[in-house]
Amino acid sequence: MVQVENLKKQFRSGKDVKVVVNTSNWVAKDGSITGFIGHNGAGKTTTMKMITGVMRPTEGRCLLNGIDIKENPIEAKKQFGYVSDSPDHFLRLRGIEYLNFIADIYDVDTKKRMDFINEYAERFGMTSALNQTILSYSHGMRQKMMIMGALIHDPSIWLLDEPLTGLDPEAAFELKKMMREHADRGNSVLFSTHVLEVAEKLCDEIVLIKKGNIMFNGTLAQLQSQYPQDMSLEEIFLDINKEESNE
Amino acid sequence: MSKILLLAKILRKSGAGSDETFHEHSADLAKNIIFALLGIAGVALTFWIGTLLGGLSKMADFLAYDIFQVLFMTGAFIGLFFAIPPIVNSFYMSGDIPVVLMMPLSSIQIVVARIINAASFPLAITFISTIPAGIGFMVTTQVTPNFVIAILLAFVCNFLISISAIATVIVLLMTFVKILRNKDLLKIIGVIIVFAVLVLYYVVLGVGNDEKPMSEVAISVANSMVPYSNALPINFALRELMTQFSWVAVLEIVGITAAFVILFLLVAKVLYLSGAIDMQSTASVNRQLSESDMKKKLGKRGQIAAMVQRDLRMVRRNPAYLMTGYLYTFGMPILMFFAMAMSRMKDLAEFFSDPANISPVFGYALVVGIGIIIPNMTTCMNAIASTAISREGASFGILKQFPMSWEDILKAKQRAAFIICESASLLYVLVAEIVALVLGVIDIPQMFLGLLVQGAMSYLCVNINIMHDIKVPNLTWESEAQMVKKSSNCVTSIIIFVCGIFVPLLLWMVADVRDFLGMMIAFGLALLVIVASAAFHFYMNKVGVRRLKKM
Ligand SMILES: Nc1ncnc2c1ncn2[C@@H]1O[C@H](COP(=O)(O)OP(=O)(O)O)[C@@H](O)[C@H]1O
Ligand SMILES: [Mg+2]
């Protein structure tokens, strides 16, 4: 479970202060897939970075399975696997070396890492690419490698920042299936996206963020009940953003 | 033609693939000033040579022609040498090639636009080697118009010939020698060539340093080079033209030049595009892993060991670190040795030929001095420690989300840098000490003292460089080559400078005192290094970790 409490982030350049994230409390529950939805620049990546301890919040705190990322960072970091918004990391390593490195960092035993790599490389169609450097991968292949790295230690929380960008249809399908399986085993999946069709089909819960503010946190059904019947998520989303621009 | 100029301009503005080069377009002010000063010095030098030649003789003097001829040849060759990296890079390696290949342009349009950008340095060199010398000559002697024509032709034609020749060779090599198409390998070869030329330069410098006056050496070198410069295509005709006007000579010069240019254009037209297109699809492909390979690759290690191995791999596989990382580390001491030995070989041989001359105090000072200077040099010269944090770049965020303490991350960084730097300096210190041991200058306990000082100094240098990088990290670089160049190992540069002055001074002092005081100074210095290294270790583990946490 991910609990976010009054999270706020400001960026300062000289005297200018830009508030990028300013949210009330919200959660990503165990046993469900939570879609973190907002347009480009809404503050999704910034929030994800604060949850994972990559960026320090100006105010507020984040709990991962009840552990405060600030108070007890190492324990908290063991709880999640994180796919960041860019897959271009450690490019000079080969795929297999990257996975082995990550497995070492998370103290995964040898048998487990072997089984994981065999299974997931197969599912993502990456078996023949394992011995090549990440530098030679296409964008989608890098993304797959980052996803495998994030999941190799079998974390209970998955934090995925726009994980579907660049994936081919087979891999996207596989990943969505994995997310479903993982949530059904009682774990939590928080993934950000601006593609509403995906969110609508996949998510149990929705967190809507707009200009750093949380507009809604609940099930899709709850959201739809506030609007006229058979309005799609897309229409609702556009409607919420329209209200703002009218102000 | 206007299309070519437009393309050249756009390529220059977009940096012409500067992220890939060993020769970078950088608007670095200091660099520009240095180049300007060097240029002025070059102009002054050849102008001075010109006036000397004018004063030396009448036109008919053969020596004057010989030296002019050698001057032209030297200019052409230096220009040629410096043209290789930018031509190879802009023809085949720069990042904008795919975009240019997509445009409806002919091979000739592309290569000419590329050459316009790559040729500024050779142009400057051929200018310096011809025009000021000619003017210097004219100032001191009466010349006829044909001399002016000869000098102008020498400038233009030597430039065109050398650039066309080298570009032709490059296109041919890149087309037919497939192994050169591996970009990383090509960079390594480039670096090795530059290094070899530097060593050669010192050797030549050493040869010339044999007590004879410099002017005599210059003349004898020039004399020995005349036969070679006769072989240069237009030099013979130029020589003729300098004495008396002849249409045949002019036509010969222009004709030869045109032949070179046309040959290049033909080769480029036929071969360039296909070669450049092939380059886009070359990457080293490793074979697929079998089950047993995979078992071998999936060994389990601790967090720190895994971090160290990753760091070493990333550095080793990145050409940007090859020059500044490995080649400087392992090569610089050899180069320094050449530079020093070549100029002082005789003195050294004399000194060591009589072991009775050498006091035990001098032995101590020597091992301590070597133990300080060599690790300092290798660590300062390489960019491994001074980019320890910066080289993570955007991936620094990934390190932050690892369940790993900052103390451990720092430890891994120290270890990786120390392994590289220490393996080089240990090698050299051992060689130096064994030589001293064999010569009877030091004994075994002194040798161990030297090693201790060496280890402590290496560790201190590595830590200072890492700490400096923690204080002013650069995590937003676009390319590693650029980041490495900008990384400042300024703190350690100051130390190496101070030590460079301090240690010889001390050696001299100690060799003079030859008593208890000298011994104490050597020991004191050793102790100082060890204590400083330990103190900095504790400081860094506190302040450095605190800084990393805040980053
Ligand atoms: N380091 C930074 N400095 C200043 N502004 C930033 C920084 N990082 C992100 N922002 C701003 O924060 C806003 C939210 O960005 P981000 O979280 O990446 O959005 P999203 O992921 O939802 O598309 C954007 O307006 C972006 O310009
Ligand atoms: Mg984002």
Side-chain angles (χ1 to χ4, degrees), chain A residues 39-46 85 161-162 192 194:
Chain A
H39 52 77
N40 295 327
K44 303 182 293 293
T45 298
T46 309
D85 57 343
D161 196 351
E162 315 238 4
S192 79
H194 57 265

Side-chain angles (χ1 to χ4, degrees), chain A residues 11-219:
Chain A
F11 285 110
R12 220 175 262 279
S13 63
K15 277 191 180 157
D16 285 348
V17 176
K18 184 163 134 197
V19 179
V20 171
V21 173
N22 191 2
T23 66
S24 46
N25 298 351
W26 58 275
V27 292
K29 288 186 195 131
D30 281 345
S32 54
I33 300 179
T34 307
F36 193 28
I37 301 169
H39 52 77
N40 295 327
K44 303 182 293 293
T45 298
T46 309
T47 306
M48 289 280 214
K49 283 185 175 168
M50 289 191 283
I51 294 173
T52 53
V54 172
M55 207 181 252
R56 252 191 321 245
T58 314
E59 276 171 33
R61 59 178 198 153
C62 308
L63 306 178
L64 294 133
N65 289 340
I67 306 167
D68 190 325
I69 187 89
K70 198 171 164 210
E71 313 270 274
N72 193 352
I74 293 185
E75 241 357 88
K77 284 171 185 176
K78 285 181 185 162
Q79 308 300 315
F80 65 80
Y82 169 50
V83 174
S84 79
D85 57 343
S86 137
D88 306 321
H89 299 289
F90 308 137
L91 299 182
R92 300 267 166 189
L93 295 184
R94 296 177 188 184
I96 187 89
E97 290 167 350
Y98 171 72
L99 293 174
N100 196 43
F101 164 65
I102 298 288
D104 284 333
I105 294 294
Y106 287 93
D107 196 24
V108 181
D109 69 45
T110 320
K111 169 98 179 57
K112 263 198 190 140
R113 61 179 87 172
M114 185 92 182
D115 294 345
F116 176 92
I117 293 172
N118 277 332
E119 183 194 337
Y120 279 74
E122 186 68 45
R123 283 179 86 168
F124 278 144
M126 289 288 285
T127 313
S128 63
L130 282 177
N131 202 25
Q132 315 302 328
T133 56
I134 299 178
L135 194 62
S136 71
Y137 288 4
S138 71
H139 182 85
M141 289 162 82
R142 290 180 187 183
Q143 183 75 4
K144 290 175 191 173
M145 193 42 73
M146 292 301 131
I147 293 171
M148 287 167 72
L151 306 186
I152 197 166
H153 66 286
D154 192 22
S156 74
I157 302 171
W158 290 7
L159 298 169
L160 315 173
D161 196 351
E162 315 238 4
L164 298 169
T165 14
L167 292 188
D168 51 43
E170 290 87 353
F173 178 78
E174 278 296 329
L175 180 62
K176 285 187 267 187
K177 207 166 84 186
M178 289 173 197
M179 284 158 73
R180 186 76 268 159
E181 290 163 5
H182 190 65
D184 288 348
R185 285 198 297 267
N187 301 306
S188 47
V189 176
L190 174 65
F191 85 106
S192 79
T193 183
H194 57 265
V195 184
L196 297 169
E197 291 88 341
V198 173
E200 192 164 19
K201 287 205 191 99
L202 199 59
C203 299
D204 309 310
E205 301 264 331
I206 280 171
V207 177
L208 265 179
I209 183 170
K210 189 173 92 181
K211 294 197 174 160
N213 295 297
I214 301 295
M215 309 303 288
F216 176 81
N217 177 15
T219 62

Side-chain angles (χ1 to χ4, degrees), chain A residues 231-247:
Chain A
M231 234 172 129
S232 72
L233 180 59
E234 187 174 21
E235 286 163 314
I236 295 171
F237 183 78
L238 291 174
D239 191 60
I240 291 174
N241 280 307
K242 198 163 73 218
E243 282 164 28
E244 168 76 11
S245 44
N246 286 345
E247 276 167 16

